[in-house]
Amino acid sequence: MNEMIKEWLPYLIVGTACLSVLLLILVIVQSVKLSKMRRRYEGMMNGTGVQNLEELLMQMNLDLESMHVVQEKHAVQMKQLLQRVHEHAAHLGIERYNAFGEYGNNLSFSLALINDDHDGIVLTGIHGREHTYVYAKPVEKGQSQYTLSPEEQRSLETAISKVQAHLPKEN
């Protein structure tokens, strides 16, 4: 058995040497890769004030959560603002006319101010030689509980047509 070991001993030594050289080459390659990775890591972390990547990722996660909270708050505020804009009287129609055929130059008027839901008011100013009278009539859903004059009705219809013109088109 001793002779067998002696016979195989050179092969074992050469094999072990080859394996050692192969492992040495592998260690050198890994060392070079690790060195490159360390330089890239240090370059990435340079100027962040953070000592390790875990701290940086945790801080970024906290910042992201904070931004989500702020974004949700802004979405609620935007919805509230859009609702307020929708409720404001933004559409108007005006009709100028001469209330008394024999007097003046179309100094009387009817002005309709309504929102997107056709709620609002019709203001009428009747100008005469001695006095000017102003009347206000509420409007709900495009109708008034008070009788509207033809001029008031035309001003309201003009305002309603402007609402229709500004509504988004359905496809």
Side-chain angles (χ1 to χ4, degrees), residues 15-48:
T16 305
C18 287
L19 186 59
S20 295
V21 169
L22 184 64
L23 288 175
L24 179 64
I25 291 172
L26 187 59
V27 167
I28 291 171
V29 168
Q30 291 299 322
S31 177
V32 168
K33 285 183 178 181
L34 182 62
S35 177
K36 286 181 183 179
M37 189 182 310
R38 184 177 305 268
R39 278 195 305 268
R40 287 188 5 216
Y41 175 79
E42 288 172 358
M44 179 181 68
M45 299 302 288
N46 190 20
T48 62

Side-chain angles (χ1 to χ4, degrees), residues 2-170:
N2 252 346
E3 275 187 39
M4 200 163 142
I5 292 177
K6 286 181 185 181
E7 193 177 306
W8 287 96
L9 188 61
Y11 295 116
L12 283 174
I13 293 174
V14 171
T16 305
C18 287
L19 186 59
S20 295
V21 169
L22 184 64
L23 288 175
L24 179 64
I25 291 172
L26 187 59
V27 167
I28 291 171
V29 168
Q30 291 299 322
S31 177
V32 168
K33 285 183 178 181
L34 182 62
S35 177
K36 286 181 183 179
M37 189 182 310
R38 184 177 305 268
R39 278 195 305 268
R40 287 188 5 216
Y41 175 79
E42 288 172 358
M44 179 181 68
M45 299 302 288
N46 190 20
T48 62
V50 178
Q51 293 300 321
N52 66 36
L53 187 58
E54 183 180 8
E55 286 180 35
L56 178 64
L57 291 174
M58 288 174 56
Q59 184 61 44
M60 288 174 71
N61 190 33
L62 290 174
D63 291 345
L64 185 62
E65 288 176 15
S66 173
M67 287 187 340
H68 281 291
V69 169
V70 170
Q71 189 271 336
E72 288 174 4
K73 180 181 172 186
H74 286 168
V76 168
Q77 289 174 337
M78 181 67 79
K79 186 176 180 181
Q80 291 170 343
L81 287 173
L82 287 174
Q83 181 62 32
R84 288 185 70 192
V85 165
H86 175 74
E87 293 170 354
H88 280 71
H91 308 284
L92 64 97
I94 188 164
E95 181 79 23
R96 289 184 57 123
Y97 56 95
N98 187 353
F100 308 104
E102 65 274 1
Y103 302 114
N105 297 323
N106 293 342
L107 297 177
S108 298
F109 68 91
S110 290
L111 173 69
L113 294 165
I114 61 172
N115 64 12
D116 290 348
D117 293 328
H118 302 170
D119 297 335
I121 189 169
V122 175
L123 294 173
T124 297
I126 298 180
H127 179 72
R129 193 176 278 240
E130 298 290 325
H131 296 90
T132 299
Y133 299 97
V134 178
Y135 302 95
K137 297 178 183 177
V139 175
E140 291 182 16
K141 305 294 180 214
Q143 301 292 321
S144 178
Q145 65 186 21
Y146 302 97
T147 303
L148 297 177
S149 70
E151 294 84 7
E152 290 169 329
Q153 188 63 42
R154 283 195 299 271
S155 69
L156 182 58
E157 288 169 1
T158 300
I160 289 172
S161 70
K162 290 181 180 179
V163 171
Q164 301 302 330
H166 288 96
L167 289 178
K169 306 267 190 278
E170 293 183 23

